[in-house]
Amino acid sequence: MLHYCLVHAAYHFSRQLPKRSRAKLPRSARYCDQPLLNNLTSFIIFTFLMTGFTVLLTLMDPIPREVRVTFHVYGVGSFGQGILTTAFTVSAPQCANTTPELYYLSLVLSVLSVLATVFIVFLIPFWIANIFYPGMVFNQRSRAGICHKPVARCSYLWHV
C-alpha cells in the first residue's frame, strides 16, 4: 500500500503545478551518450531476480542442485552486469552534467559492484580448497578447519 500511496500523493502534488512548468528542461539538455538508463533497467531486473533467489535460498533446505547451478549462473550474469555498469559509468563523465541523478546512481552502483566482486574474489580460494580437500576449510561436524573459529557463530556464511 505504501507504493500506491506514494504514487497517489505524487499525482495530486503534480496537479498543483501549472501545466506549462511541469517539465521545464528541453529534451536536448537531458541527453546522455552512454546507455546508462538501459543499464539501470537491467540492474532492476537483476534486483527482482535477487529477491527471488533470496526467498528460495532461505526457505529451501537442502538446496537442490538445479537451484545452486542456476544461482551460480545468475552470479556470472551479475558479474557481467557489474562490469558493464562500471564501464558505462567510467566512459560517461559528461552525463554528470546532463543527467546527474542517473550518472551518480550509476556511479554508486559501480562502486558497490566492484566491492562485491572484491569480496567474492577473496572467497574463491576457500571454495576451491573446499572442493579439492573437503572439510579442510570448514567442517561443521568435527568443528575443525581453517575457517571454523572465525565463522563458528555464523556457520556457512561463506558459501551456498
Side-chain angles (χ1 to χ4, degrees):
M1 207 57 169
L2 174 66
H3 296 96
Y4 175 82
C5 182
L6 290 175
V7 173
H8 183 75
Y11 170 77
H12 284 290
F13 284 129
S14 72
R15 295 302 175 238
Q16 301 302 317
L17 299 171
K19 233 181 186 180
R20 285 183 224 121
S21 66
R22 288 186 194 163
K24 277 281 198 189
L25 293 172
R27 289 181 160 233
S28 61
R30 303 293 288 173
Y31 182 74
C32 180
D33 289 333
Q34 293 297 324
L36 294 181
L37 187 60
N38 295 339
N39 189 51
L40 180 61
T41 303
S42 69
F43 209 94
I44 292 169
I45 291 169
F46 271 90
T47 302
F48 285 129
L49 292 173
M50 176 202 67
T51 305
F53 276 117
T54 302
V55 170
L56 277 177
L57 294 176
T58 56
L59 295 180
M60 297 179 104
D61 190 30
I63 300 169
R65 178 173 164 69
E66 295 82 13
V67 174
R68 287 180 189 222
V69 169
T70 306
F71 176 66
H72 292 304
V73 168
Y74 166 78
V76 171
S78 179
F79 173 71
Q81 210 281 327
I83 288 175
L84 286 176
T85 300
T86 305
F88 289 152
T89 305
V90 166
S91 63
Q94 73 279 5
C95 294
N97 297 329
T98 58
T99 53
E101 298 87 0
L102 181 61
Y103 175 76
Y104 290 119
L105 178 61
S106 293
L107 187 63
V108 167
L109 294 175
S110 297
V111 169
L112 292 175
S113 295
V114 168
L115 290 175
T117 301
V118 167
F119 175 69
I120 296 299
V121 166
F122 173 74
L123 293 179
I124 287 175
F126 295 106
W127 293 341
I128 293 172
N130 196 47
I131 290 171
F132 290 114
Y133 306 105
M136 182 186 101
V137 176
F138 185 77
N139 190 342
Q140 189 175 11
R141 288 188 182 142
S142 66
R143 297 182 179 251
I146 298 169
C147 295
H148 177 67
K149 288 198 180 206
V151 295
R153 295 186 184 204
C154 47
S155 62
Y156 294 107
L157 178 67
W158 58 277
H159 81 292
V160 172

